[in-house]
Amino acid sequence: MEIWINPACSKCRSAISLLDAEGAEYTVRRYLEDVPTEDEIRNVLDRLGLDPWDITRTQEAAAKELGVKEWARDASSRERWITALAEHPKLIQRPIITAQDGTAVVARTDEAVQDALSRKG
């Protein structure tokens, strides 16, 4: 199990506290420092069952500069979004937990963290 976090994010700290309270084994990835590649982003999107615009923080300054709210949200635009996430990791929604069963969860609530913990391989 891996969790992508920004240590400054309260939801990330809350998710880590819950994982610790449950005694979960996990690896922390500070994704702003250890930036995911486009392939890693594609893999996480597949595991989440989501499209890149579903995990894009559109209120971030970089998102506004890029104008992502105006970008098309279709299959032909998917790579443009993935490239933007790789080049501007602050745009990636957090925290993301990759579960042991091969799925992943955007863990912004305690319920979502519990869901990730319940997904055994």
Side-chain angles (χ1 to χ4, degrees):
M1 185 179 310
E2 182 176 75
I3 181 169
W4 291 10
I5 67 157
N6 172 352
C9 166
S10 63
K11 298 217 183 277
C12 293
R13 292 192 305 271
S14 175
I16 294 237
S17 294
L18 188 53
L19 290 174
D20 289 343
E22 295 289 333
E25 288 186 28
Y26 62 93
T27 305
V28 170
R29 179 170 189 167
R30 294 178 178 219
Y31 70 93
L32 296 179
E33 298 161 21
D34 182 8
V35 178
T37 64
E38 290 183 22
D39 282 343
E40 288 174 313
I41 292 169
R42 279 186 208 96
N43 177 270
V44 159
L45 287 167
D46 288 347
R47 292 175 77 163
L48 288 165
L50 296 174
D51 285 305
W53 46 86
D54 297 324
I55 65 161
T56 301
R57 297 171 56 85
T58 58
Q59 297 304 313
E60 290 288 333
K64 291 177 179 174
E65 287 172 28
L66 293 168
V68 297
K69 279 192 171 181
E70 314 308 315
W71 291 5
R73 296 177 182 215
D74 56 30
S76 64
S77 302
R78 204 166 190 269
E79 288 305 309
R80 180 184 189 190
W81 286 83
I82 290 169
T83 298
L85 292 173
E87 290 176 357
H88 306 277
K90 235 182 182 171
L91 299 181
I92 299 172
Q93 188 58 267
R94 68 213 178 218
I96 293 176
I97 299 175
T98 56
Q100 292 174 332
D101 70 351
T103 62
V105 175
V106 178
R108 296 190 56 77
T109 64
D110 288 353
E111 294 78 18
V113 176
Q114 292 289 354
D115 181 29
L117 285 167
S118 72
R119 296 181 184 201
K120 303 283 188 229

